[in-house]
Amino acid sequence: MVTLYEGKKYTKGVQTADNILKKFPNHGETQSMKGLIFNCMGKKEEALELVKSGVRNDVKSHVCWHVFGLIHKSDNNFLEAIKCYTNALKIDENNQNILRDLSWLQIQVRDIEGFVISRNKVLESKPQLRASWVTAAVANYFGEQYQVAYDMVTKYRANKNADKGDAYEEGELLLFQNKCLEKLGKYQAAIDHLKANESQVTDKLAIKIKVAELQVLLGNYTVGKELWSALVASQPDNYRFHSGLQVAYLELDAATSSDLFLLKRLELPSTVLTLTAVQLTVLKELYADLLTKHKRSAANKIVLGLSQGAEELRAPLDAFLRVNLHNAIPSLFQEVCALIRVPDECNASRLRFARDVADFKDHAVTKLALTLVEGYITNLRQAEQFDASAPAVTIEPPTALLWALYLHSHLREVSGDLDGALRVIDEAIAHTPTAIDMQARRARIQKKMGDYTGAAVTMDECRQLDLQDRYLNNKATKYFLRADEVPLAMTTIAMFTKHEGDPQQTLYELQCNWYELELAESYARSKQWGLALRKFFAVRKHFVEYNDDMFDFHGYCMRKVNRWS
Amino acid sequence: MTCLFQFSLTHPFLLLVQYSTFLLFDVQTTIRAYLDSINMLDNSFTHKFYQRALRGALRIFLYLHEFPEDIDGLGHLNPADRKKERAKRKKAIKKIEEKKTEEEDDEDGKKEEKKNKRDAEPDEEVFLAKDFMAEAVQWTSGIVNRLHLCDAETIALVVDLSVRRSEFVAAVDAARRGLEKHPGNAHLVYSLVRLANKVKSPGKAKLGPQAPQIRDGLSGLLGCPVGTIDVDAYVAAYCSQAVQNKSLPQVLGAIRCKVFQDKAAPATTEAVAGLLGEAALWQGRGVDVPTVQETLKVNEAQHLCIFY
């Protein structure tokens, strides 16, 4: 029966089971196997009945408990499945299949203690398999037994009888081993480990980054500076490398350095810390040097943030804005925004980027940027140049005025002057009626003013400027939903779903969370509680599925590392 | 495959799908990637999309628990009109369903339709028939141990839910964790004020043997001497802080707290007028003073059904 089940010959399997059950109607294992086959055939209720009956009739059979566990597992009922597998193991404690399956269930429900025990048992019985070693080491890592995990990798590498992976996988294993040392706080040992095994690790960049981090954490700033400088030279636009470089030059303590290595996006030590005059001088010298080597790198933007006060910033910001407006850079506001920082309420020693109108409104950088941009607009209108008093040889392209208006509108919007922002963006639209960004900005301003219907109309007009743009289609849909125009939103989004079937069903199957959330909130605003809950539950279901889907990966990932055995 | 990569840029969880695609195409997997994916999924229920869905669902659960007569959105009508409207709706639904059945019968490929129906979302009535409080607990089960990763608004709703379920120790703990992460947040402060008020008022809450622990916890959060709960002093201090910080959310929170404490008192009217006076705060946010005043008229429980 097991062969028939594994070969997916379900009809034959059921026939065989029936033949056995004719002679032995209470044979538990046969009932369980029949139930398992039924489960695969989609007869869930009959399957569960049969399996339960099988367990009742033969409670001391590991097969019955294993099958019961399989049924629960197929329903994603992992906790119940663990109970069944544990019962099966009480009867047949060395059953490798059950032990292995149990371990995947344990990691799925994050029963780390159980996972460690199960994987250690698997390792004891199958020490010749690479997967046994690797998974046991990973289990101990999850259990925060970093030294044990480290030792396991060492033992595995010394074990000549165990299978070995290819060069890449062995390198990854070494990096994992190194991570254990780092977790133990043995930074020097971690550096030595990386140096000793450098030739065996394929991911050379990972080694360079890790060594640079560890050197800084150890307080070896001179070496750290060299290493981070080399990394910045290789990727001068990588903000994480700039972060490391700044940490090294600022010579911060290990705890602060570890925190700063985790910064994200445009955050840098120079943007989140309140630096002293000495520290600022150090960084200014560093970036003055970097700018000579990498003229078109992120250093251009980072150096602006090192200016103290609006007056010092005026000249560099002026030059920066002119270049970027000349080149028609739509994201220019984001760069200006990165210069506007306020004290972080959650952490007194830190600064954060401005978020609220109150943050932007009276900020010296906002005022400076507004003054500069207003000056450009006046001059561009009059003389098609940024500075009418010192005319350049060539005139600026018409896009310079357009993007200056766009930036001006954006600055007014975040400063709370929505009427002013709307006036400016209208001028930009009059300048170039087909510019999508201008229309989208107008819709956003209208939305902020509380005119949801007007915003939706503007965004729809914007969408019609490029009917093949999915982003605009989604934006228009979102704006319709904010205006509670559900039927219009549904029609709009349907333009980009499959042609056959119900578009709503397609979006549900695609797990389109943003749409379902907006739709649910729209229903809730109109007190259609049932429909709103239906959509909120759909989002929840997607998240549960993401987690449940991971179940297959535990075994898959670990099997994968054993593929060459 | 390209399509999946594009999606994964906007949808972090599709990285998993992308990951599996890598495996199918025999690209190397690494232990580091596996550890990262486990870490990512551990925090998946604190993702902003889940939190938004959670907040939406919790608001409805709490609102319908408080106002069950509004389950079909007709709570604002008087009983007679409500009955009439319900009968009217029932008739209309029946008509639509009959029409649908007729159309289905006419169409070919019934099997295909049936198959689609099985995979579809359940009907809306299924969700309204659920036990709201039990469902709310299920929703929050994924985040209760990870509140430090959640938004202030989410934590405030967790506090509200705990209060409704008379789990005051859990409510105090959630409020404490929330305010540690988001000090002075308007949503959390409002939830704390309502919690403290309930605990303070005799007969409103059954605290049981954990009463001293709850009271001491609240004293700490409100900044009062141990064992005392002075909500008025806390609200007054918060109002001053809001004005000083020039923060619109905090001013709104302060107004809500003031109104909640005592709507009728002349001192409240005066204090609210003072808070509203800072016109510069409102400008440019699509909010004007009459709108705020209108909002304040909404009674205490109905704040739950305001969707932004």
Side-chain angles (χ1 to χ4, degrees):
Chain A
M1 275 193 75
V2 174
T3 319
L4 291 171
Y5 164 72
E6 284 173 352
K8 293 187 178 178
K9 291 171 182 167
Y10 298 138
T11 322
K12 267 193 177 179
V14 174
Q15 280 171 1
T16 313
D18 286 340
N19 288 338
I20 299 169
L21 289 171
K22 260 182 202 169
K23 289 178 188 168
F24 309 101
N26 291 328
H27 190 251
E29 291 186 357
T30 310
Q31 283 178 319
S32 295
M33 282 309 295
K34 191 182 171 186
L36 188 60
I37 294 171
F38 269 6
N39 191 53
C40 293
M41 293 165 85
K43 299 174 180 176
K44 296 262 178 188
E45 283 173 16
E46 288 161 273
L48 190 64
E49 275 309 308
L50 272 166
V51 173
K52 275 184 182 171
S53 162
V55 172
R56 268 197 303 271
N57 289 328
D58 195 352
V59 81
K60 288 192 173 173
S61 159
H62 73 272
V63 175
C64 293
W65 281 110
H66 190 185
V67 170
F68 201 11
L70 284 170
I71 298 282
H72 280 308
K73 194 176 82 175
S74 72
D75 291 338
N76 291 337
N77 196 352
F78 300 123
L79 288 172
E80 287 302 314
I82 287 177
K83 284 181 196 166
C84 295
Y85 276 72
T86 313
N87 282 336
L89 277 176
K90 278 179 193 164
I91 300 156
D92 185 5
E93 62 181 33
N94 290 323
N95 189 313
Q96 289 301 303
N97 282 342
I98 299 176
L99 202 54
R100 201 183 51 230
D101 280 3
L102 173 67
S103 71
W104 303 142
L105 287 164
Q106 285 166 328
I107 184 64
Q108 177 67 16
V109 298
R110 304 293 188 270
D111 171 11
I112 303 296
E113 212 176 307
F115 183 51
V116 173
I117 295 168
S118 301
R119 289 320 304 191
N120 285 345
K121 274 186 191 171
V122 172
L123 177 62
E124 276 170 27
S125 54
K126 297 257 178 181
Q128 72 281 15
L129 290 181
R130 184 178 193 271
S132 305
W133 286 96
V134 173
T135 319
V138 169
N140 280 288
Y141 178 89
F142 281 136
E144 297 182 2
Q145 300 292 319
Y146 303 120
Q147 189 61 52
V148 179
Y150 176 86
D151 292 342
M152 273 185 173
V153 178
T154 311
K155 275 182 197 165
Y156 157 71
R157 288 175 55 75
N159 186 348
K160 287 179 182 168
N161 296 326
D163 310 316
K164 296 283 183 282
D166 70 352
Y168 184 83
E169 288 179 348
E170 290 303 307
E172 285 299 318
L173 193 59
L174 285 166
L175 287 175
F176 165 73
Q177 194 183 24
N178 191 262
K179 208 170 177 172
C180 297
L181 284 175
E182 196 192 338
K183 288 274 182 188
L184 286 165
K186 297 179 178 175
Y187 299 142
Q188 188 56 54
I191 292 174
D192 297 340
H193 177 263
L194 283 174
K195 280 184 181 166
N197 297 297
E198 191 176 355
S199 59
Q200 295 173 60
V201 179
T202 316
D203 190 349
K204 303 290 183 202
L205 184 62
I207 291 189
K208 283 180 187 169
I209 297 169
K210 192 46 73 188
V211 172
E213 276 183 12
L214 292 168
Q215 290 289 8
V216 173
L217 291 175
L218 273 172
N220 299 332
Y221 299 114
T222 317
V223 187
K225 284 172 195 172
E226 277 175 29
L227 294 170
W228 282 113
S229 296
L231 284 166
V232 169
S234 65
Q235 290 182 28
D237 286 327
N238 189 325
Y239 267 64
R240 297 292 55 84
F241 291 174
H242 279 282
S243 217
L245 185 66
Q246 289 190 6
V247 170
Y249 271 81
L250 291 172
E251 301 187 357
L252 301 167
D253 60 87
T256 318
S257 301
S258 314
D259 275 358
L260 295 175
F261 287 138
L262 301 175
L263 293 178
K264 287 176 182 167
R265 300 185 194 96
L266 295 180
E267 286 178 333
L268 291 166
S270 60
T271 67
V272 298
L273 297 176
T274 314
L275 300 175
T276 61
V278 178
Q279 287 175 320
L280 272 171
T281 314
V282 169
L283 290 185
K284 277 178 190 171
E285 282 170 9
L286 166 68
Y287 276 90
D289 183 41
L290 270 181
L291 277 172
T292 57
K293 292 175 191 161
H294 311 287
K295 282 179 186 165
R296 290 190 168 193
S297 66
N300 271 309
K301 301 166 192 172
I302 295 166
V303 78
L304 292 174
L306 301 174
S307 306
Q308 274 177 304
E311 275 319 301
E312 195 186 324
L313 180 64
R314 180 179 284 273
L317 183 63
D318 186 20
F320 180 76
L321 290 179
R322 285 180 194 213
V323 171
N324 285 286
L325 288 173
H326 175 85
N327 292 332
I329 306 295
S331 60
L332 185 54
F333 173 77
Q334 304 308 325
E335 307 297 349
V336 177
C337 206
L339 303 172
I340 304 169
R341 300 186 297 269
V342 291
D344 190 346
E345 301 86 352
C346 304
N347 190 343
S349 63
R350 294 277 175 96
L351 298 171
R352 63 165 174 82
F353 291 129
R355 287 193 297 252
D356 193 78
V357 176
D359 301 336
F360 283 104
K361 203 171 182 179
D362 298 319
H363 201 284
V365 177
T366 317
K367 285 179 180 171
L368 173 66
L370 270 168
T371 316
L372 288 171
V373 177
E374 279 164 4
Y376 301 151
I377 291 170
T378 313
N379 292 333
L380 285 165
R381 277 194 201 123
Q382 288 169 0
E384 296 179 61
Q385 291 191 353
F386 288 118
D387 192 350
S389 60
V393 183
T394 53
I395 56 167
E396 293 297 328
T399 51
L401 175 59
L402 180 72
W403 290 104
L405 288 167
Y406 183 76
L407 178 62
H408 187 205
S409 171
H410 210 150
L411 284 165
R412 286 223 165 277
E413 179 194 326
V414 294
S415 311
D417 178 11
L418 294 184
D419 290 323
L422 198 63
R423 267 198 310 277
V424 176
I425 205 68
D426 280 343
E427 190 188 336
I429 292 170
H431 181 283
T432 310
T434 52
I436 286 167
D437 300 78
M438 310 300 142
Q439 298 271 12
R441 173 77 23 216
R442 188 178 201 280
R444 190 176 160 80
I445 297 166
Q446 284 177 298
K447 185 187 79 177
K448 277 197 171 182
M449 290 173 103
D451 178 11
Y452 292 111
T453 312
V457 171
T458 309
M459 190 47 89
D460 195 45
E461 283 169 9
C462 179
R463 178 187 70 79
Q464 286 173 28
L465 291 173
D466 186 353
L467 293 170
Q468 289 184 318
D469 192 325
R470 182 193 282 270
Y471 171 77
L472 292 178
N473 181 278
N474 287 358
K475 272 279 171 194
T477 305
K478 191 171 166 181
Y479 275 63
F480 277 132
L481 288 172
R482 290 273 167 97
D484 294 334
E485 298 278 7
V486 174
L488 272 173
M490 285 179 171
T491 321
T492 309
I493 193 84
M495 290 173 194
F496 273 82
T497 54
K498 275 195 294 188
H499 294 301
E500 67 276 8
D502 178 11
Q504 295 305 309
Q505 180 63 20
T506 310
L507 289 160
Y508 171 71
E509 284 162 8
L510 281 171
Q511 303 182 328
C512 190
N513 283 313
W514 72 264
Y515 173 75
E516 286 174 325
L517 283 169
E518 291 290 348
L519 186 58
E521 285 172 4
S522 179
Y523 282 137
R525 279 190 294 267
S526 53
K527 290 195 167 191
Q528 299 185 61
W529 310 122
L531 288 169
L533 281 176
R534 188 183 183 207
K535 284 292 152 194
F536 284 134
F537 270 84
V539 175
R540 179 159 192 258
K541 189 166 179 275
H542 302 330
F543 275 82
V544 171
E545 275 170 11
Y546 301 142
N547 278 276
D548 290 350
D549 287 350
M550 186 65 195
F551 180 75
D552 298 329
F553 284 93
H554 302 303
Y556 202 91
C557 291
M558 294 305 156
R559 265 208 314 278
K560 180 73 174 61
V561 292
N562 194 34
R563 205 164 51 96
W564 285 269
S565 62
Chain B
M1 204 166 140
T2 317
C3 175
L4 279 173
F5 292 142
Q6 280 169 355
F7 266 120
S8 67
L9 291 174
T10 52
H11 196 316
F13 294 98
L14 270 169
L15 280 172
L16 273 180
V17 182
Q18 186 178 322
Y19 187 48
S20 66
T21 319
F22 267 129
L23 297 179
L24 290 173
F25 284 83
D26 204 25
V27 179
Q28 304 279 6
T29 178
T30 76
I31 302 170
R32 286 182 297 159
Y34 176 67
L35 298 180
D36 288 347
S37 64
I38 292 274
N39 193 29
M40 182 182 80
L41 283 168
D42 276 347
N43 297 326
S44 62
F45 287 106
T46 59
H47 189 272
K48 63 177 181 178
F49 281 170
Y50 182 79
Q51 283 196 60
R52 216 170 127 190
L54 168 80
R55 289 197 295 266
L58 279 191
R59 282 194 191 105
I60 297 175
F61 291 147
L62 291 171
Y63 177 73
L64 290 181
H65 182 71
E66 201 82 8
F67 298 100
E69 71 276 14
D70 202 22
I71 198 152
D72 45 11
L74 301 173
H76 58 288
L77 300 175
N78 64 45
D81 288 345
R82 205 182 299 156
K83 206 174 170 186
K84 258 189 208 170
E85 186 61 32
R86 275 182 187 156
K88 212 170 149 187
R89 280 191 186 181
K90 214 174 174 184
K91 218 173 168 185
I93 290 168
K94 207 177 169 187
K95 220 174 178 183
I96 292 167
E97 273 173 2
E98 273 171 12
K99 205 177 168 188
K100 242 185 187 176
T101 323
E102 273 172 29
E103 278 173 7
E104 272 175 20
D105 290 343
D106 294 342
E107 275 175 26
D108 292 327
K110 266 189 208 168
K111 278 180 190 172
E112 193 64 29
E113 282 287 319
K114 273 182 186 169
K115 196 186 159 200
N116 283 343
K117 264 190 179 171
R118 198 174 56 235
D119 299 334
E121 293 170 84
D123 287 335
E124 68 225 58
E125 288 82 11
V126 176
F127 301 103
L128 291 174
K130 287 178 189 273
D131 175 354
F132 294 140
M133 284 298 111
E135 280 300 319
V137 172
Q138 268 210 335
W139 271 82
T140 50
S141 60
I143 60 152
V144 280
N145 293 326
R146 292 189 167 78
L147 284 183
H148 60 286
L149 298 173
C150 292
D151 295 341
E153 225 179 321
T154 311
I155 305 172
L157 278 163
V158 172
V159 175
D160 289 350
L161 176 67
S162 302
V163 173
R164 296 292 159 95
R165 301 186 72 238
S166 297
E167 291 175 347
F168 295 102
V169 178
V172 173
D173 186 47
R176 183 184 50 76
R177 286 199 277 171
L179 285 165
E180 269 170 17
K181 181 84 192 348
H182 312 276
N185 181 278
H187 297 285
L188 283 164
V189 166
Y190 185 52
S191 292
L192 174 65
V193 166
R194 292 192 306 150
L195 162 66
N197 229 39
K198 193 152 191 177
V199 171
K200 191 187 163 192
S201 312
K204 266 198 176 179
K206 286 177 187 168
L207 303 180
Q210 288 164 321
Q213 188 192 340
I214 296 164
R215 285 179 191 283
D216 289 352
L218 279 174
S219 305
L221 289 173
L222 298 171
C224 313
V226 181
T228 60
I229 299 173
D230 188 350
V231 190
D232 290 330
Y234 177 73
V235 172
Y238 186 69
C239 287
S240 315
Q241 188 197 327
V243 173
Q244 204 179 346
N245 291 349
K246 290 194 173 180
S247 158
L248 178 64
Q250 286 191 5
V251 168
L252 274 172
I255 292 173
R256 283 171 84 187
C257 292
K258 270 275 172 204
V259 174
F260 174 74
Q261 278 298 90
D262 192 356
K263 284 176 214 172
T268 305
T269 318
E270 202 179 306
V272 170
L275 289 165
L276 286 169
E278 188 65 60
L281 278 172
W282 313 97
Q283 189 192 351
R285 287 178 162 103
V287 186
D288 50 25
V289 176
T291 314
V292 179
Q293 282 167 336
E294 195 59 38
T295 311
L296 292 176
K297 285 181 191 165
V298 177
N299 70 33
E300 192 250 318
Q302 270 180 327
H303 82 278
L304 292 166
C305 62
I306 296 171
F307 285 87
Y308 300 98

